[in-house]
Amino acid sequence: MQQLLYGGKNNNNGYSQLVPMLEDKFVNKNPSNQNGIDCFPELWSSKFPDEFEVNAGECEVFIDQRLEWGLSHFCPKNSWDVLELGPLEGGHGYYLEKNTPVRSITAVEGNRQCWLRCLITKEITDLKRTRFLLGNFIDYLKENEGMYDLCLAFGVLYHMKNPFELIQLLSKASDRVIIWTQLVTSKQQEDWQAIKLKDGEETVIGYINDYGMGVKLDNFIGGLGHYSVWITKDTLVDSLCNNGFSSVQVGMEGENKFGNFVTITASKK
């Protein structure tokens, strides 16, 4: 556990900012939620609700309007089991527990630092129905034979080397999905290398986003590889339809510093 938390002083381990935790292992302060946040100084992305009285990140994940919009197309029940891919820091688990009656949330995170921050969030917010698993969610989807009532895939599709593989696996795991993803822009299509991928029997085009040296940064929260493949909105919608999702709703579209983004709900019913 010590190696996992602290990672030594080798920057190649990706944990150089955590070295102070090794050099000062003990917290000589009154116990507080902020002490947990401070285990990962300057690495948090999520802004916690004011009631928890902590300073962390700036992203409004705990009161996520994208998730609110997505859930408005469904009617979550107390018998539902939800699967979340890439929970980041656990904000969506908090939202689901606070605003829906779903029975359970299983959240699979492949980034060790993010997984540990999820556990800190679970303790701070006292989550009861959410479990955070550490590992590759592609492997989890391949090996899991059960069905979930809803799958959440926020910020993960555009980090895949093969986004169509993920869509196919999602279609086997649930009849309902909510996806938020970045989309390739026309300028990026001109600048990035195109690649042909298979989506079932169809040959489709994606565009390679090379992470470059970004993967070595301490705050990198992208995919497991050195590059990912981005696709267009039309290609994404077509893939969902080709994989059995007969009802597809597109909304919460916009633009950020990385390009275009979209929120999509899809169901087979």
Side-chain angles (χ1 to χ4, degrees):
M1 176 62 76
Q2 181 171 326
Q3 183 179 5
L4 173 66
L5 283 172
Y6 311 125
K9 295 187 177 182
N10 184 348
N11 288 339
N12 291 331
N13 287 340
Y15 298 100
S16 59
Q17 291 194 30
L18 302 184
V19 170
M21 291 176 61
L22 177 61
E23 297 174 344
D24 186 13
K25 290 186 287 188
F26 299 99
V27 178
N28 190 19
K29 302 177 183 178
N30 194 45
S32 70
N33 289 337
Q34 189 63 46
N35 290 343
I37 298 296
D38 291 343
C39 289
F40 291 90
E42 300 181 8
L43 289 181
W44 287 85
S45 298
S46 308
K47 180 179 180 179
F48 280 68
D50 293 341
E51 63 188 277
F52 298 109
E53 300 181 341
V54 297
N55 293 315
E58 296 297 328
C59 295
E60 299 281 6
V61 182
F62 285 78
I63 51 172
D64 197 332
Q65 293 181 350
R66 303 167 302 173
L67 182 55
E68 180 181 7
W69 177 86
L71 290 171
S72 70
H73 292 82
F74 304 121
C75 185
K77 298 178 174 58
N78 58 12
S79 60
W80 278 23
D81 296 313
V82 177
L83 175 66
E84 181 178 18
L85 309 181
L88 184 61
E89 292 162 351
H92 288 161
Y94 170 83
Y95 185 94
L96 288 169
E97 289 203 19
K98 186 177 179 65
N99 296 286
T100 76
V102 298
R103 178 168 58 189
S104 71
I105 303 103
T106 300
V108 185
E109 176 57 62
N111 183 307
R112 286 192 182 96
Q113 291 190 27
C114 290
W115 178 70
L116 288 168
R117 294 203 292 275
C118 284
L119 299 185
I120 292 172
T121 293
K122 183 173 183 176
E123 186 64 26
I124 290 175
T125 62
D126 195 27
L127 299 183
K128 303 296 187 184
R129 292 173 278 155
T130 305
R131 184 184 182 196
F132 297 103
L133 306 180
L134 176 62
N136 186 333
F137 58 66
I138 292 292
D139 291 341
Y140 181 84
L141 288 168
K142 287 180 177 179
E143 296 178 9
N144 178 63
E145 297 181 354
M147 288 286 289
Y148 287 88
D149 299 287
L150 174 66
C151 285
L152 305 181
F154 281 64
V156 295
L157 190 69
Y158 65 99
H159 286 304
M160 298 291 102
K161 288 185 176 180
N162 187 346
F164 304 105
E165 178 187 29
L166 178 55
I167 293 170
Q168 292 163 13
L169 290 170
L170 285 171
S171 73
K172 296 176 181 178
S174 181
D175 291 338
R176 307 175 190 87
V177 298
I178 305 175
I179 296 171
W180 180 89
T181 187
Q182 295 285 154
L183 301 167
V184 66
T185 65
S186 56
K187 180 64 165 60
Q188 289 164 341
Q189 291 178 54
E190 295 175 0
D191 295 341
W192 295 357
Q193 179 182 342
I195 183 174
K196 292 182 179 180
L197 296 171
K198 296 294 289 186
D199 184 16
E201 298 300 320
E202 301 288 330
T203 298
V204 288
I205 302 297
Y207 299 86
I208 295 176
N209 178 19
D210 190 337
Y211 294 137
M213 296 300 293
V215 295
K216 297 185 179 295
L217 299 176
D218 290 316
N219 61 353
F220 178 74
I221 53 175
L224 300 180
H226 289 273
Y227 73 90
S228 63
V229 173
W230 288 26
I231 57 179
T232 66
K233 180 174 66 175
D234 288 344
T235 302
L236 171 55
V237 171
D238 287 345
S239 181
L240 289 167
C241 293
N242 292 338
N243 282 278
F245 292 102
S246 56
S247 176
V248 178
Q249 305 293 326
V250 177
M252 302 293 290
E253 298 182 73
E255 186 175 349
N256 57 24
K257 63 181 180 180
F258 303 110
N260 301 330
F261 62 80
V262 69
T263 309
I264 290 179
T265 66
S267 66
K268 298 178 183 179
K269 300 174 181 178

